[in-house]
Structures are given as C-alpha cells and as structure tokens.
Amino acid sequence: MTTPGTAMPRARGIAPVRRPPGTTAAESRWLLWPPLVFFALALGFPLVTLVIQSLEGGGSAYIDALDVPAFAGSLMRTVVMAVVVMVLTMVLGTAYGLAVVASPAWLRFALLAALILSLWTSIMVRSFGWMLLELPRGAIYWFLGLFGLADEPIELYQTTLGMYPAMVAVMLPFAVLPVMSALQSLDREQLNAATIFGAGPLLTFRAVTWPQILPSVLSGGVLVFVMSLGFYVTPLLLGGPGNMTVSGVINAQMNQANRPDIGAAMSILLVGGTMIVYLIADRLFRVSEKWG
Amino acid sequence: MTIALSISDVHVTLGHNHVLKGVSLDVQPGEFVTLLGASGSGKSTLLNVVAGLQAVDSGHLTFDGVNVDKRPPQKRNVGVVFQSYALFPHMSVGDNVAFPLRAARRPAKERRAVAEEMLALVQLPGMADRSPASLSGGQRQRVALARALAANPGVLLLDEPMAALDKQLREQMQVEVTRIQRKVGITTVSVTHDQTEALTMSDRVAIMRDGVLVQVASPEDLYRHPVDEYVAGFLGEANLLPTAGGRILDDARDADVDGTAVLRPEDLELVPAGDACPAWHVEGTIHLLSFQGTRFRLELLTGAGRRVVCSLPTSVDASALVVGAPARVACRNPERVHVIAAPPSKAMVAA
C-alpha cells in the first residue's frame, strides 16, 4: 500500500516524460513569460504605484485612513454585505445548479443561456437594469399595478433591501458554475445505488449528493465573498448613500477629499485584507482547485 | 429471504429503439441465472427492469407471484452490484455497507452489527473504518457485494460484476462470488458478455440477442445442444458443417442439406489413413498447426473451402501433420454431434 506521500516523488520523477517530444524544460519555459509580463503590467504596476502613493507621507496615510470615521463604518458594512451576498448566492446558486442538472434539455439550455448572458453583460448595465425595475414607479410597480397590488410608489430603490437582489444576480454565475461542474461529474450510478438501496430523494440528496458537492459550494462562496468585497457600482446605484462600501469611501478620498495618499492606503488595506481572506479560504477549501 | 422471480413478455422501447422484444424468464428461488449477450443485446436493460430503474412498455414482473410492475425501486428490496460498484466515496466502508439499513431507518447499533457481519461474509473483517479509496479493485467489489446483501434482499442483481477487474482477479472473484451466492442462497441474476464467467458461475445461462432470449439452459446444455448457430458460436468454438441424412456433406448443394452439425474442436480426432472412418467425419488438407501448451490446434481446409478447427491432445504424433498434407478428422461419439435443423449460413467457423 502506497501513501500519497510516498507516491508523490515518483510522480514528479516521471513528469518530464509527458512533455511533447522534442521540447525541453528550457524551451517550453518561455511560454510562461507572456502571462507573467501581463500580470506585472496590469496588476503589479498599479499596485506598486498605489503603495508608493500611500507611503508619500511616511506611512502616516495609513493612520489617517483608519481615523476616517466613514472608513471603519464602511469596512464593517462591506464585510457584512459580502457575507450576506455570499450566503444568499450559495443557497440560490446551489438550487440553480441542481435545477440545471435536473432539467429537461430545453430548460437546461434556457437556464444556462440566462446564466452565461448575465455573465457576459457589463455589471453597469445590469445594475441600471435593476434600477429600472426598482424605481418607485419602475417595472415592479407597473407589474404589481397590473394586479391592482400597487397603491403607492414602492420604496425599494436606494434602500439596503433594494441592492441585494442585484448583487446576488451579479454574483450568481460564480456560485452556480462550480456547483454545476461538481454535479455533472457525480457518478450517476451512485444515485441509482442510493435509490436501489431504499433511499428517497431527500436522503439521496443529503447523504450522497450534498457531501460530494459541498466543497464546490464552499469554493463558490469564497469566490463570491472575495469579489463582493470590491462592490462599488451596484450598492452606489441601488443602495443609496447610506450603504457606501469601502470602494465608495476610497473614491471619495481620491476624487472629493483630494487625499490620494489616504485613498491609496485604504486600497492597499482592502486588497491586502482580501488576499489574506482568500489565502486562508484557499487553504481551507482549496478554492483554486475547483476553478482550475 | 429469497424469492422466485418471473418476467413475462416484457417489452421496452428507448427512443426509437425496441430494446426488449417480449422477454420471458422464470428464475427459481436461490438460482443463479446469467444473461449473456453482446453489447446492445438488451441484457442490461432487462436487469434495470428487474431493479425498477427502467419502466416497461408492456409485460409483467412478479416476485414470489406478487406483481411488482408498479413498485418503485426503493420498495423492491433488490440488491445490486453496479458495474462501477458505485460505492459512496465520502463514506467509510462500514457506512457504505450499512447504507440500505440507514435508508430503512434501522438503529445505528444494528447497522454497525450488520456491516461487520456482511464484511466478514465477504472476507473483509475489520475493514469498516477504511475509506473505499484505500481499497483494491477486488476489495471494492467485495464491499459492493456486502452492501448489496446487507438489507437481506430477495434478489441479487450483478451488472457486469467482473468488468473492472484484471483477468487473474476475475477468475478468483468468480469463485468467490459464487461461494457467497450459494452460502446466502439468494436468487441472483447476473449480466455479462464474458462467456467463461457465465459458464463458471451460473446454474442457467440465458443467451440474449437483439432484445430476445435465444436460449435459456444449463451451461452444459447450451454448449452441447445450442438451438442455433449464434448460440453455438457464442459459447466456445464450434465447427458448423452442412449435414444430410446423418453425414457431413462437404460439397453439398443447398437442396440436399437438411441441417447443420455442431462439432466442437475437442470432440474431433485424427483418423489414420487406411482406418475405417466413422460416419461423422471430414476430409481436408492441413492448413495450420499450432502448439498451445496443453493442446494442438489443427485447422483443415475442406474441398469446399470450409475451415474445420480441431483440438488434439499433445500425445498425438505431430510429425505427420505437415501443412498441405491430406488428413481426416472424425467424431467417434455420435452423441457429441448436435444437429441444428437448419442449413448453415455462410460463416462456417464462429469464434
């Protein structure tokens, strides 16, 4: 019996054989350069600029940033918001993924098309779309009016409640896709086996399906949480000034308060915090494997 | 608990494909019946019908005389060993085996006890806490069998049970599964395309072709008395030669032929030149001679160009068997000659 630990070095030892014939490590390594250069320019350069900017006052910008009362408040709000979006998206995304897999072909196509189209559409456009729905005399008001249910203009636009549906809709694909791929790779015979051995649909889901898709549900959730920390447009448009996120506060420092150093320090704190959350979550739930 | 299984006139259509065309089969309590056929013959579909995973267009299924057509798979109390074993990878071996009892809401204590008992039956005692991933292929199959038997089902269904095993392990597990089946005494229906497996394990073998049961009989009966050329060729090697009036007619015209003789290679022997020749004989020239360890394999070409395969003991003097030389082979025991009452088709030797 070999343990994974003893099998690993052997696997590494035969790895070079799998390279296409005629290429050596040195020859194929140049393929790594284009993405590395891209990352250096697109991610590294702005990040370094931000760090330099934030350190202009000798690091005092970080202290100033933490002293801005709106920052601490928005940080708290952003994390809570990200958690709420994460939980809602995980629940809805799992249900959506199950629906896609269980549907007949035409419905599966429709569900997938809706998901992919939403993924392809700009977040700005989608947020404006939700705005049109939620305006006091918007589409929802009109629709309710058809049934005589809307006596007075609805109060949804620019409320906390109003921003969540849009944010969940924006994030949904990132929760659905990993769940769907886990469901599709599930062995059909296992479901048949559960049925044969007397399990109803509930026990089959609880005892067979759920434990095997849980890692993907979690990894989708982590991704949604991390991405939700950077929400800017949607809460701004739909949540109103009372729901300003960290991104909003950073924008205010940069463009209104004219303190780019404080804005830069806040950005670094947000990016750093997000990275720490992601790295911990990746260790715990192996997020990157589910998306690799 | 073991039951009598009765399948009568079952039809199944999948899409535009008429997969089962009126299949009837009765299985006695405790009997081991194997459905043998090429892929696409409908044997797996028939197994799914018994399990309740496949609905039927028409026909009936009874367990101990009770109609179960409308009974969902959960309530049929069948045990299945799936082709891929379908063990639950996130559960321990013990939890896998006890799953049917969990579904039946049996108390945890009983579940543990039954799991231990079943694992002992399949000779994997003390493995309850292992994970399925840490087991070998043969051990996984034993676990799948233990799980299939855990809820004391009325019927055991085996879907290509040996397909995932290598050859040596396969022979070992054939013996092992048969031992357990006999010990438990459970009515068993197995599906395979492996003729050796079917012959080794079964009380009776049902040959399936294009959605129909061609012949259902004991392994020996099938081998000795096949109803048609397909069955003759499916089980082992057979020489199919045209006959008329109790003799082989090599150069026969179609009009004279009244049947097809099935001659097994091992029932043929050489007749030295000058010796009197039994009625059932063939003449030809030696086409090929190969040494196969325990036997010689001799191939003759008859005057009409038919290939006749003959399996000879190694005690035969092989020096005279030169390619191109004339030779006569005959079957001395007329009881070993089986005649199908239909002229042979063009393929003379089916492997």
Side-chain angles (χ1 to χ4, degrees):
Chain A
M1 184 112 337
T2 47
T3 66
T6 58
M8 280 294 272
R10 209 178 305 149
R12 251 182 235 134
I14 58 166
V17 182
R18 293 203 185 130
R19 247 195 330 267
T23 52
T24 66
E27 277 166 20
S28 52
R29 204 167 284 159
W30 65 269
L31 283 170
L32 267 175
W33 283 105
L36 278 180
V37 169
F38 177 80
F39 268 108
L41 290 177
L43 190 69
F45 180 67
L47 210 58
V48 170
T49 315
L50 269 181
V51 170
I52 293 170
Q53 206 169 25
S54 69
L55 291 173
E56 264 171 5
S60 63
Y62 286 91
I63 297 164
D64 292 346
L66 294 171
D67 277 344
V68 175
F71 181 66
S74 72
L75 196 62
M76 199 57 216
R77 203 178 303 122
T78 307
V79 170
V80 169
M81 187 195 77
V83 169
V84 172
V85 171
M86 176 186 77
V87 171
L88 290 175
T89 315
M90 277 162 77
V91 172
L92 222 65
T94 307
Y96 200 103
L98 285 167
V100 170
V101 175
S103 296
W106 65 270
L107 187 58
R108 180 179 318 175
F109 179 79
L111 288 171
L112 277 178
L115 200 71
I116 299 298
L117 273 180
S118 119
L119 200 60
W120 283 347
T121 312
S122 150
I123 191 169
M124 200 75 155
V125 173
R126 279 185 285 169
S127 299
F128 272 110
W130 280 97
M131 197 175 103
L132 293 175
L133 285 173
E134 293 180 3
L135 283 173
R137 292 180 187 280
I140 296 176
Y141 174 75
W142 167 82
F143 184 75
L144 291 177
L146 288 182
F147 304 96
L149 293 170
D151 304 331
E152 42 198 274
I154 51 167
E155 287 176 29
L156 197 57
Y157 179 56
Q158 301 255 312
T159 63
T160 308
L161 192 65
M163 68 182 184
Y164 279 113
M167 290 195 294
V168 170
V170 164
M171 290 299 171
L172 197 61
F174 302 102
V176 175
L177 293 176
V179 169
M180 232 173 60
S181 92
L183 281 170
Q184 273 160 352
S185 61
L186 203 66
D187 183 3
R188 293 265 140 183
E189 280 202 337
Q190 281 184 27
L191 303 182
N192 278 343
T195 307
I196 288 288
F197 295 123
L202 266 177
L203 180 61
T204 304
F205 181 75
R206 194 160 48 87
V208 180
T209 311
W210 179 246
Q212 295 190 71
I213 65 169
L214 182 60
S216 296
V217 173
L218 289 174
S219 93
V222 168
L223 200 77
V224 167
F225 175 76
V226 165
M227 288 170 71
S228 296
L229 289 176
F231 258 124
Y232 174 58
V233 175
T234 315
L236 194 72
L237 273 179
L238 300 168
N243 280 306
M244 195 178 263
T245 57
V246 180
S247 309
V249 174
I250 292 172
N251 180 50
Q253 288 299 321
M254 294 270 193
N255 296 326
Q256 284 144 35
N258 202 19
R259 283 296 301 272
D261 56 330
I262 295 183
M266 288 175 174
S267 302
I268 295 298
L269 290 173
L270 178 61
V271 170
T274 306
M275 276 172 73
I276 291 169
V277 169
Y278 181 79
L279 289 176
I280 293 173
D282 191 39
R283 266 297 160 84
L284 289 179
F285 309 125
R286 302 176 185 276
V287 181
S288 45
E289 280 175 23
K290 300 293 178 301
W291 284 88
Chain B
M1 190 178 82
T2 182
I3 60 154
L5 169 69
S6 174
I7 302 164
S8 60
D9 199 28
V10 162
H11 287 260
V12 170
T13 311
L14 297 176
H16 296 293
N17 209 351
H18 201 172
V19 184
L20 295 181
K21 304 169 185 168
V23 173
S24 299
L25 179 67
D26 286 305
V27 184
Q28 302 307 311
E31 193 182 20
F32 193 127
V33 171
T34 296
L35 304 174
L36 177 64
S39 60
S41 58
K43 56 194 194 304
S44 294
T45 309
L46 186 55
L47 202 73
N48 284 340
V49 165
V50 177
L53 295 171
Q54 174 65 53
V56 299
D57 298 346
S58 64
H60 299 289
L61 185 68
T62 63
F63 289 177
D64 268 344
V66 181
N67 189 305
V68 293
D69 293 346
K70 296 276 182 289
R71 209 182 278 182
Q74 289 95 330
K75 306 257 185 255
R76 291 201 179 186
N77 196 21
V78 296
V80 181
V81 174
F82 290 87
Q83 191 170 352
S84 68
Y85 308 146
L87 297 177
F88 306 125
H90 53 285
M91 291 182 200
S92 71
V93 165
D95 286 346
N96 264 285
V97 174
F99 186 83
L101 286 92
R102 179 177 171 191
R105 297 167 199 276
R106 310 301 306 169
K109 205 173 164 187
E110 182 188 337
R111 271 149 50 181
R112 248 196 319 278
V114 170
E116 280 303 333
E117 185 194 333
M118 287 297 139
L119 286 171
L121 175 71
V122 298
Q123 301 193 328
L124 289 177
M127 296 281 235
D129 294 328
R130 296 276 290 272
S131 112
S134 71
L135 302 182
S136 70
Q139 288 173 325
R140 278 179 215 179
Q141 197 201 35
R142 287 169 194 262
V143 174
L145 186 60
R147 182 179 63 175
L149 294 171
N152 193 15
V155 189
L156 176 65
L157 305 176
L158 310 172
D159 186 7
E160 302 268 1
M162 308 295 166
L165 302 177
D166 60 47
K167 192 171 174 292
Q168 281 199 330
L169 202 54
R170 200 174 291 183
E171 285 164 11
Q172 196 182 323
M173 286 310 294
Q174 283 167 9
V175 176
E176 182 65 8
V177 170
T178 316
R179 176 189 73 83
I180 293 165
Q181 189 267 339
R182 298 270 190 278
K183 185 167 177 189
V184 179
I186 185 171
T187 312
T188 304
V189 179
S190 177
V191 154
T192 187
H193 60 264
D194 181 336
Q195 42 154 310
T196 322
E197 182 182 318
L199 295 180
T200 313
M201 298 174 75
S202 330
D203 296 316
R204 280 190 303 155
V205 177
I207 307 269
M208 236 179 143
R209 186 191 191 186
D210 295 334
V212 176
L213 289 182
V214 185
Q215 188 175 6
V216 186
S218 71
E220 196 180 348
D221 222 24
L222 275 182
Y223 190 77
R224 296 280 170 226
H225 308 289
V227 291
D228 63 13
E229 285 177 52
Y230 181 80
V231 176
F234 205 89
L235 286 182
E237 209 168 14
N239 297 301
L240 304 170
L241 298 162
T243 66
R247 284 192 318 118
I248 289 165
L249 271 190
D250 181 40
D251 54 354
R253 299 216 171 81
D254 287 355
D256 306 328
V257 175
D258 62 5
T260 304
V262 180
L263 292 164
R264 296 292 178 181
E266 66 277 12
D267 291 332
L268 293 174
E269 54 189 282
L270 278 172
V271 183
D275 280 19
C277 211
W280 294 103
H281 74 272
V282 199
E283 291 179 26
T285 53
I286 295 173
H287 176 59
L288 196 73
L289 177 74
S290 55
F291 177 65
Q292 300 190 315
T294 53
R295 307 284 285 182
F296 278 116
R297 182 187 155 93
L298 180 70
E299 279 187 33
L300 297 186
L301 276 185
T302 66
R306 297 176 210 281
R307 206 156 56 96
V308 175
V309 178
C310 182
S311 177
L312 302 171
T314 47
S315 55
V316 159
D317 176 20
S319 62
L321 301 173
V322 189
V323 172
R328 286 189 299 177
V329 292
C331 180
R332 288 192 191 279
N333 182 358
E335 282 179 13
R336 284 296 169 92
V337 182
H338 174 66
V339 178
I340 301 167
S345 61
K346 291 214 173 75
M348 284 307 117
V349 177

